[in-house]
């Protein structure tokens, strides 16, 4: 019973967080696209539980380091 309640709470919290951060993520994606000229999302496969692969998407963040 506790696992199901925790799971529902986690999914609801993550959904609310994504919904609230969507405008900020959109602005960041546009900035990355215009400054680097490459796609804003970077897709990778990572090993998860029991070495099972899952797909991960993250925003490409490259820093310019000047000497």
């Amino acid at each position: 019973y506790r696992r199901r309640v925790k799971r529902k709470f986690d999914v609801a919290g993550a959904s609310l967080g994504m919904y609230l951060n969507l405008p900020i993520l959109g602005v960041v994606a546009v900035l990355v696209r215009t400054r680097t000229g490459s796609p804003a999302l970077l897709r990778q496969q990572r090993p998860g539980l029991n070495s099972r692969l899952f797909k991960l998407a993250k925003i490409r963040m490259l820093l310019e380091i000047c000497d």
Side-chain angles (χ1 to χ4, degrees), residues 46-54:
R46 300 264 178 106
L49 185 64
N50 297 325
S51 298
R52 185 175 173 190
L53 293 177
F54 68 96

